[in-house]
Amino acid sequence: HFNHSQADEWAEKGKIVKGDWVYEDILRLEREVMPQLDGIVFVSRYMADHIEQRIPEIRNVRKIISPNFLCKAVSEPSHLSGDMINIGTLEKRKNQEYLLRVLFECARLGKSYTLTLVGEGPDRKRLEALSGALGIRPQVRFLGYQKSAARFLDGHKVYVHGALMENLPYTIIEAFASGIPVFAGAVGGVPEILSDG
């Protein structure tokens, strides 16, 4: 359940440098090990196709696609309400900056909406500063990491997902289970669970 490669995951988090020896070693290890597996379980057709293109030798390995699923747990409602909500790590790939800019453009057009960001990550301070610079800080709630974050969905009108790349996002499935509309880009495995209309 990684996005493209563990090397890319670590590079996007700033833990290693893309193209350095550690990055290349992880890619090499994946190329060596994956063709030797008895089987591979992917959570999206998108990622299965991507890995097969990157490592053609896995074509002979048994594969199944088993999308993420949800057993809706009963949790204490949050009693927090708002317009838009996003749940996820605050990092570049998750692209919450785009959501802030959408909020800014709406405000520029005379429409005032709120955005609740649930999650923690390396971009938090930058996103807080950007919301201030855009003049929308009073409209944005930064809740940080929250256990059972899906409990916040029920009080919101729409779930927004601005990620630049996703395998198969669990939070979109949770939003569907909560019965709220979802707005997300057609990236990675998202079109496998969400289509226009």
Side-chain angles (χ1 to χ4, degrees):
H1 189 301
F2 52 73
N3 294 310
H4 294 165
S5 165
Q6 282 296 313
D8 290 319
E9 292 274 332
W10 284 98
E12 286 169 7
K13 289 178 178 12
K15 303 291 184 187
I16 62 175
V17 176
K18 194 168 190 167
D20 76 358
W21 71 271
V22 176
Y23 179 90
E24 293 300 326
D25 240 21
I26 293 170
L27 291 179
R28 181 192 52 72
L29 185 63
E30 289 173 356
R31 282 190 307 270
E32 286 176 12
V33 172
M34 291 185 80
Q36 298 178 51
L37 299 174
D38 294 327
I40 305 173
V41 178
F42 290 97
V43 298
S44 70
R45 165 62 48 206
Y46 165 80
M47 196 54 62
D49 291 345
H50 173 80
I51 300 297
E52 196 168 283
Q53 285 176 352
R54 188 166 64 86
I55 308 171
E57 296 81 9
I58 70 165
R59 287 193 177 107
N60 300 323
V61 177
R62 282 184 340 152
K63 291 178 274 312
I64 64 164
I65 311 297
S66 179
N68 287 328
F69 58 90
L70 173 71
C71 295
K72 188 159 179 168
V74 178
S75 62
E76 191 65 31
S78 72
H79 304 294
L80 182 70
S81 62
D83 296 312
M84 298 180 280
I85 184 169
N86 173 266
I87 300 171
T89 306
L90 303 181
E91 63 183 342
K92 199 171 211 85
R93 180 177 61 84
K94 296 292 188 174
N95 201 22
Q96 288 95 350
E97 178 178 334
Y98 174 75
L99 303 177
L100 295 177
R101 294 194 181 279
V102 167
L103 206 62
F104 168 74
E105 288 301 322
C106 289
R108 214 171 53 78
L109 296 170
K111 305 289 183 186
S112 181
Y113 301 110
T114 61
L115 172 63
T116 302
L117 294 175
V118 182
E120 197 56 66
D123 278 5
R124 179 167 179 162
K125 288 193 184 316
R126 186 180 67 78
L127 293 169
E128 287 175 335
L130 178 62
S131 67
L134 293 173
I136 57 169
R137 185 64 185 94
Q139 297 167 247
V140 183
R141 264 181 270 181
F142 289 88
L143 298 187
Y145 170 80
Q146 297 288 327
K147 190 173 181 176
S148 304
R151 73 183 190 277
F152 295 101
L153 291 165
D154 289 333
H156 289 80
K157 295 176 184 168
V158 65
Y159 179 78
V160 290
H161 199 79
L164 298 170
M165 207 296 294
E166 285 284 7
N167 192 340
L168 196 122
Y170 194 69
T171 53
I172 290 179
I173 296 169
E174 290 176 320
F176 285 148
S178 293
I180 65 172
V182 173
F183 290 92
V187 297
V190 171
E192 295 177 42
I193 56 171
L194 173 66
S195 60
D196 192 14

